[in-house]
Every structure is written in C-alpha cells, then in structure tokens.
Amino acid sequence: MKNARSHLNELLVTLPSLLWLAIFFLIPTLIVLAIAFKPTDFYGGVGAGWTLETLRSLGNPNYPAIIWRTILLSIATTIICIVLAVPTGYYIARLGTRWRQIMLLLIIVPFWTSFLIRIYAWKVLLHPDGLIKKFLASLSIVDIHTSLLHNQWAVLLVMVYTFLPFAILPIYAAAEKFDYHLVEAARDLGARQWQGFYKVFLPGIRRGLLTAILVVFIPALGTYLIPDIMGGPDAEMIGNKIAQRVFVDRNLPHASALSALLTLAVFLPMVAVLFLQRKKDGSEPIIKESA
Amino acid sequence: MASTNYLEFENVSKHFGSIRAVDRVSLSIAKGEFFSLLGPSGCGKTTLLRILAGFENPNTGRVILNGRDITDLPPHQRRVNTIFQSYALFPHLTVRENIAFGLRIEKRLKKEIDTEVDRMLALVQMEDQAHKYPDILSGGQKQRVAIARALIKKPEVLLLDEPLAALDLKLRQRMLMELDLIHDEVGITFLYVTHDQGEAMSLSDHIAVMNLGIIEQIGTPAEIYEAPRSSFVAAFIGDTNFFEGKVTDIVGHEYSRLTIDGFPDVLCFNDKHISAGNPVFLSIRPEKFHISRDAPPNSNKRNIMRGLVEDVIYQGLLTKFWVRVQEYRLSIVQQHSRFLLDEKPIRWNEEVWISWHADDSFMLERYSESDEQLVSLPPENIGDVNGEAATPE
C-alpha cells in the first residue's frame, strides 16, 4: 500500500517526462488529427471552419493498394529482420568478450555514415552499370535487361538493410542475459537441438524479440525515403503519399488524415504487444534473480 | 545389490586444451546405488558428470550404461537426467509445466502426463505451488521442482551436480534428508557430485574421491575415512595430523616401527606392507588421540608421549586441543563422555600425556607434488591441514 506522500513523490518524478510527452508528442498528434477535419485554403495552408470533406477523399481508390503494400512490405521486412537477427544475436552473445565487442562495433559502424548516403550507395550497387547487377548478369542469374532498381524488391532489400541492426541489438541484449543451462536442461529432458531452441531459447528472449519486432515494424510503416529513392511507381508506400500531399499538392488536411491513419496503424499493434507483454510478466517479480 | 557394473566408465579422458580435466578414469557403479564423486573444485568431477549426461564427449574411453555403450549418444537419447547446480528451471513455465516438460517432448498423452505430474508433485510435496512460476519459489522449492522434473523421466541414473551448494545450511541439511528419502523411495541410481565431504559421507553408498582429474580412491564412507589410500584423501576427508617418517623395521606381520624426527619411535599398523627403509607419511585423526593428565597404562600397542597444551577450544560436544610435541603441533579432539564438576579440566600450558593405539594410525606411501602442500612442513603449519583445508574454495 502506498501512502499519499509516495504518490506525490511519484508524480513529481514523472511530471517532467509527462509534460515533455504532452507538449512534443500528444499535442502535435492531436493538432495533426485536427487538421484532418479542416478545409484547405487556396495558398496551400489550412482554411477556416470544419469539414469532413478530407476524410471522404480518403476513399481514393489508389489508397487501399498502397496501404496494403505498406503493411505487406513492413511485415516482410520485420520477418526477414527477425529471422536474420535471432541467429546473429545468439552467435554474438556466445562469443568471447573481445570478439563480441568487435562484432557489436561492426554492427554500429554504418550509423556513422549518413542514412541518405547509404541508400544512394545501394542505388549505385544495383544500378544497371553497378557492381551487383554486372556480377549477377555475368552469372546469368538475372537478365541483362531487367532492372534491379525501382521495384518492390529493391525497396524490401534496403529496408531490411536499414532496420536489421535495430533488430539485432535488442535480441543480442536478451540472448546475452539468457541462461544457456536452460537449453542443456531441455536437452537433458529429451529435447532435440531445435526443440531446445524453440521451446526454451525463444521464450527466454521473448522480450528482446518483442522489442525487435516493434522497433522494426513501426518505422518500416512510416518509411518514405527508401521507396522514394529505390522504388518506382509500383513500390509506393503510404509515407510517399503523405510527402506528396504535403510538398507537391500542398494539401495539409489530406496529409494529416493519412498521417492519422498511419498513427492508428502503428498504435494498435503497439498496444497489442504491450498488452501481451504485461499479461506474460504479470506473475514475475520486478527484480529478477540472476541464476 | 545387483550387478556392480550397471554404469561403467572405461578409461575415460577429457582434455580442454592442455588441461586434463578427466584423466583415464575407470569406475563402475551398481544399480540403485547412491554414488558420490567428491573432490575440490576443478578436480574433474563435474566434467565426468557432463560426459555421462552427454554434454561433453570424452577424448578417449567409453561410457556403458545398462550394457549399452552410450559414449556417442546425444543427450536427448540417454536415459539419464540431471539436476543442475543452478536448477535451470524454465522461467517461462509454471512448476507444473516445468515438471511436464520431459513428457511433453515425448508427446505422451495429456491424461498420462497429468497423472505422472501429480504423482511427482506429491513426491516432492509441491502440490500447492503447481501453478506458480519458478521466479517466486524459494531455493528449496526450486530444488524440489528440479528433482521432480528429472525423476518424471524415470532415468536409469539421476545426476546431481552440487545440488545443495546454493542453499543455506539449515535448508541444506533438510534437503539432504529429503534426497536420501527420495532415493530410498524411487530406487534409481544416483550419481552425486559434490565438494562437500559432509554431504557425500552422509548420503553415499560409495564415494570416489577425485583430484586433478584422477580418482584417488573408491570406497564406502567408512573405508575412505578410516583407511585412506593416499595422503590427499586423508587430508581431504576429515581432519588429520601428518608426520613425515621412515619405516625402520617390521614388527610381527601387521605392524612396523617408524622414526619421525624429534619423536620417540612409533608403532603403526602396516596394512600396506611397506618394507623397511621406505619414507612414509603417518596420519593420525584428531579424535584417535587420548589426552590425559596422568600417564596412561602402558600397553605394547600404544604410543605414548608427553606434550604441552598450547590451546584449548571448548565446543560443547567436543573440546579441541593444540598440543606441542617437540616441533610438532598436534590437533587433538576429545569428546565429553561425561562431565564431572569436580574433575579439573585440562588447561592451557599444562604438561599432558598423549597416546594413541597403533591400529588407529595409518601409513601412506604416496608422495606427489600435490601431497607436499598438504603435509606442510615446517611443523608450525601442520595444524593448517585441519579444518579449513579440508573444504577448499
């Protein structure tokens, strides 16, 4: 049971971050939502009064396909990233301290180069005269006339490339804390190697997995630079549409409506995951005994 | 007891780099036995256990269980189960699910699993805790879940890797009794790894004392205590006083006379038939001495000498004396069979008689580098062999 004083203390401690979140996250989000109900004005600003016109215009027949593609690409990116990150995280966690630090450094090194430059580097690599294209063509794996650029696959490739480190790090962190005696215990009780992995290791790094899924899936949904640079007309994502509404059409209410849609799409899975996590952890104490 | 070779290690070695963790170990264990591997940390006992469980492959040798060579079988195909030192309970599963794990892997019928789990929960008295997660269990409860989880597989051998090391003293004593009861109840062969001689002595039918990857001695607890075959065993199991001497002549069939620097000649039981002229260690347990103010009656098999009491430590059940004889400092323990108020206890700085029977001392011929540390000379340090030295770490 908490007394009034500790309640007050709790409030004082959390107040700054609450204020910060309110001013820089909640209020702007609400403003964006509000703008969705405003008309446009002639000069590309926000007009006076309220209207549902914008929401109706979301019925644009192009949108369902774009939203579907956005979700599909994000899910594909997440799955590929997790599938690659689990063995990588496991492997790094099992290395000696020295090699572990080197591997972690190698994962972080790309961040020292601008994101934009790294995407353009991929463009160069996949370019019809680029290294990868020429190599694949010389092996007759791809036809010399097909383009590796400007399609969904190029977008997917660069999305996986971009988000993979964000998946590896939380999984590595969980794998590093995992007690590998548990896998031995499972083997001892008759589990094959894959059963030990599946029934004991994966549940053991559950939190790391959930974090990895969130930090890949959410930004993947909002990506617009990658499809903009790597994709073509058939690889547009919702982020591109929002950018287009803002910068080309100067239709802020429409962009806001799309953003609100995206926010909901991000918010719902996050709530679901948090709910799942809470349900699982309900019976666990806050301070875990380290075995 | 059934056949004595239910479980056999044949010439098993395991090297880690240049370290010989297990060095040509041969060992056979009878069915249903409570067998302990006892030794200081790093002596290879856990490696031997892991070889049996299938987590390590021996470099040479074979492991035979119930007539079958299991040396190259993966862990999941061996009918042995382990209780890990850290228990290794699955934190994402409840007590019930932890215990059921082994049977679920076998894809047994749900009803069958439920009955078995209930039986195990009853055996370890954890029925009320079945739906809790391991995190909130106490050390002793975790221990019981680990036991149930392993026993439900009906292993041919149950391996216990220092299972009590993580518990506090009181709980350790209780779990010790529970383990003994469980062993009697299930009748499975137990292979118990420990560095704690008390645990090994009180539970085991047989003990193998290990040091530096080799087995120093195998025997019943009494054999190992009363007739250690090497100076390592003598020092590691219980307390003892060591003296370095030389056999001068053989007396009759079973006795020999020794000279020890600064001592009158000493008569000692010579079951090992060490011939005259050989250097030996004489070992006398502290409780084998008799200490008295008056001269003990002379008898031809008693060794008698004078000493000076340097310290007296009254411990209720026992009294410990440190007695100086020439340059040696002897550790002597006397139990109080009676306590008469009018009897004047022996005090510090008193001249006393000490004596022991020739049958109560033993000679050890083994001499290796590791022994040298145990038999610490100069004599001031002889006392250090006692007490703490016997429980390393």
Side-chain angles (χ1 to χ4, degrees):
Chain A
M1 282 296 134
K2 284 176 192 151
N3 55 31
R5 199 184 159 74
S6 76
H7 265 300
L8 189 73
N9 281 339
E10 219 169 76
L11 197 69
L12 278 176
V13 169
T14 46
L15 202 61
S17 47
L18 274 178
L19 276 176
W20 178 275
L21 274 178
I23 295 170
F24 294 104
F25 177 73
L26 191 64
I27 294 173
T29 307
L30 290 176
I31 291 174
V32 168
L33 265 172
I35 290 175
F37 297 94
K38 289 276 194 184
T40 50
D41 81 349
F42 188 72
Y43 302 102
V46 180
W50 300 92
T51 174
L52 287 175
E53 195 52 42
T54 323
L55 288 191
R56 266 181 227 124
S57 70
L58 283 184
N60 182 331
N62 286 332
Y63 286 158
I66 292 174
I67 289 172
W68 180 236
R69 182 186 303 128
T70 304
I71 291 174
L72 223 57
L73 274 174
S74 303
I75 290 176
T77 304
T78 310
I79 292 174
I80 296 171
C81 281
I82 297 295
V83 166
L84 293 175
V86 168
T88 312
Y90 172 86
Y91 175 75
I92 297 175
R94 298 296 270 163
L95 287 173
T97 326
R98 191 186 153 74
W99 277 105
R100 201 187 309 168
Q101 279 163 352
I102 292 174
M103 295 301 274
L104 286 175
L105 189 72
L106 286 179
I107 288 172
I108 292 165
V109 154
F111 289 99
W112 293 351
T113 309
S114 158
F115 174 52
L116 213 54
I117 289 172
R118 282 184 285 138
I119 303 181
Y120 272 105
W122 273 107
K123 197 162 178 161
V124 171
L125 285 172
L126 297 175
H127 189 270
D129 291 325
L131 209 62
I132 292 182
K133 172 69 185 285
K134 278 189 169 167
F135 177 71
L136 292 176
S138 75
L139 294 176
S140 310
I141 292 171
V142 297
D143 187 81
I144 194 78
H145 298 298
T146 51
S147 175
L148 295 180
L149 270 176
H150 307 304
N151 57 42
Q152 292 187 33
W153 300 110
V155 174
L156 184 62
L157 175 72
V158 176
M159 279 175 82
V160 169
Y161 161 79
T162 306
F163 294 118
L164 190 56
F166 297 102
I168 292 175
L169 291 177
I171 286 175
Y172 155 75
E176 201 240 328
K177 275 185 249 142
F178 181 75
D179 176 10
Y180 289 90
H181 283 301
L182 295 179
V183 175
E184 277 188 357
R187 298 275 285 141
D188 190 71
L189 292 165
R192 287 154 194 284
Q193 220 147 5
W194 65 267
Q195 283 172 317
F197 180 82
Y198 174 72
K199 286 184 186 272
V200 177
F201 180 67
L202 286 188
I205 59 161
R206 184 183 70 238
R207 274 175 227 234
L209 278 176
L210 288 173
T211 311
I213 289 171
L214 281 183
V215 299
V216 172
F217 185 68
I218 293 173
L221 277 177
T223 320
Y224 91 96
L225 259 178
I226 298 171
D228 204 46
I229 296 168
M230 302 303 293
D234 70 331
E236 259 188 326
M237 291 172 72
I238 196 155
N240 300 105
K241 275 292 164 215
I242 295 172
Q244 190 191 332
R245 295 293 171 244
V246 174
F247 297 121
V248 182
D249 303 355
R250 299 294 291 163
N251 189 341
L252 288 181
H254 199 118
S256 295
L258 280 177
S259 297
L261 207 65
L262 184 63
T263 309
L264 273 182
V266 171
F267 193 61
L268 290 179
M270 204 170 75
V271 169
V273 165
L274 285 178
F275 181 73
L276 275 176
Q277 225 167 1
R278 167 108 14 131
K279 207 173 104 183
K280 266 284 188 192
D281 297 346
S283 54
E284 290 171 23
I286 296 159
I287 300 160
K288 296 201 85 178
E289 222 177 302
S290 51
Chain B
M1 209 175 280
S3 68
T4 52
N5 39 21
Y6 180 65
L7 168 62
E8 271 184 293
F9 291 91
E10 286 183 10
N11 211 22
V12 170
S13 294
K14 177 71 186 175
H15 308 212
F16 295 108
S18 60
I19 300 160
R20 293 178 163 199
V22 172
D23 195 6
R24 283 161 292 172
V25 163
S26 293
L27 186 63
S28 66
I29 296 172
K31 186 170 184 164
E33 192 172 10
F34 199 122
F35 194 98
S36 291
L37 293 172
L38 173 64
S41 54
C43 72
K45 56 194 193 300
T46 297
T47 306
L48 202 57
L49 188 92
R50 290 174 61 81
I51 287 172
L52 179 54
F55 298 131
E56 307 283 356
N57 282 317
N59 296 93
T60 64
R62 300 195 304 155
V63 182
I64 292 163
L65 175 58
N66 206 2
R68 199 158 73 112
D69 187 339
I70 61 164
T71 319
D72 300 317
L73 284 186
H76 68 273
Q77 286 175 16
R78 300 178 180 215
R79 292 204 52 200
V80 298
N81 291 106
T82 310
I83 291 167
F84 294 85
Q85 187 173 355
S86 58
Y87 314 130
L89 299 181
F90 305 126
H92 62 292
L93 301 179
T94 61
V95 166
R96 169 167 276 279
E97 290 164 339
N98 260 285
I99 297 174
F101 188 90
L103 299 187
R104 290 219 177 124
I105 289 282
E106 288 176 24
K107 299 241 171 1
R108 297 263 284 273
L109 291 176
K110 191 178 178 312
K111 226 180 95 185
E112 206 180 322
I113 295 176
D114 282 343
T115 6
E116 281 296 296
V117 172
D118 285 336
R119 208 168 62 82
M120 281 300 148
L121 282 169
L123 177 73
V124 296
Q125 296 165 28
M126 287 286 289
E127 293 105 321
D128 333 335
Q129 321 285 328
H131 297 288
K132 290 188 180 164
Y133 283 90
D135 275 333
I136 55 169
L137 298 181
S138 70
Q141 290 171 327
K142 284 183 192 172
Q143 166 84 307
R144 293 203 199 120
V145 178
I147 293 171
R149 187 179 69 172
L151 284 178
I152 202 168
K153 295 282 284 181
K154 299 205 167 65
E156 288 173 334
V157 183
L158 183 71
L159 313 183
L160 301 102
D161 185 7
E162 305 246 7
L164 306 183
L167 304 179
D168 60 62
L169 185 67
K170 268 268 164 345
L171 197 55
R172 196 149 66 216
Q173 288 166 347
R174 223 180 74 203
M175 289 310 297
L176 212 59
M177 283 168 58
E178 280 187 30
L179 273 179
D180 205 14
L181 287 176
I182 288 171
H183 176 249
D184 291 347
E185 197 161 328
V186 297
I188 290 172
T189 312
F190 277 37
L191 183 61
Y192 190 94
V193 162
T194 183
H195 68 269
D196 185 312
Q197 45 160 314
E199 288 173 20
M201 297 288 261
S202 47
L203 291 171
S204 317
D205 296 313
H206 287 94
I207 298 175
V209 183
M210 287 187 76
N211 185 34
L212 304 171
I214 63 161
I215 290 183
E216 294 267 346
Q217 186 171 358
I218 303 174
T220 62
E223 280 167 1
I224 284 185
Y225 186 80
E226 300 290 347
R229 230 179 293 141
S230 71
S231 44
F232 174 82
V233 177
F236 190 72
I237 313 293
D239 298 342
T240 196
N241 295 282
F242 272 124
F243 307 91
E244 199 173 14
K246 197 177 208 171
V247 179
T248 49
D249 59 304
I250 308 295
V251 183
H253 282 299
E254 297 187 298
Y255 295 91
S256 59
R257 205 172 293 285
L258 308 178
T259 51
I260 295 167
D261 281 346
F263 268 27
D265 280 2
V266 160
L267 192 71
C268 181
F269 183 57
N270 186 9
D271 63 329
K272 297 183 184 74
H273 304 291
I274 300 168
S275 45
N278 282 325
V280 289
F281 287 126
L282 176 68
S283 165
I284 309 165
R285 301 271 186 208
E287 74 279 9
K288 306 291 188 193
F289 285 107
H290 182 75
I291 185 166
S292 58
R293 192 169 285 127
D294 308 317
N298 217 334
S299 121
N300 61 348
K301 288 198 185 130
R302 273 199 100 74
N303 298 290
I304 301 171
M305 48 188 74
R306 296 279 279 166
L308 182 72
V309 177
E310 289 200 328
D311 210 344
V312 182
I313 303 162
Y314 176 77
Q315 292 180 334
L317 176 67
L318 310 161
T319 301
K320 267 185 121 162
F321 299 91
W322 293 102
V323 178
R324 178 162 293 275
V325 178
Q326 310 291 342
E327 76 237 59
Y328 291 95
R329 199 164 180 248
L330 310 187
S331 162
I332 298 177
V333 167
Q334 300 286 285
Q335 202 177 337
H336 307 285
S337 46
R338 70 204 133 101
F339 182 67
L340 302 173
L341 284 175
D342 55 344
E343 189 185 336
K344 204 168 134 241
I346 292 168
R347 285 178 199 278
W348 174 73
N349 228 358
E350 238 181 281
E351 282 260 5
V352 289
W353 292 90
I354 57 167
S355 66
W356 71 93
H357 196 274
D359 289 352
D360 284 341
S361 56
F362 42 84
M363 292 192 295
L364 302 159
E365 55 182 334
R366 204 178 146 153
Y367 192 90
S368 70
E369 264 175 63
S370 65
D371 293 343
E372 218 160 344
Q373 298 161 3
L374 299 167
V375 189
S376 8
L377 301 164
E380 245 66 34
N381 296 330
I382 280 187
D384 293 355
V385 172
N386 303 285
E388 270 56 61
T391 45
E393 274 177 300

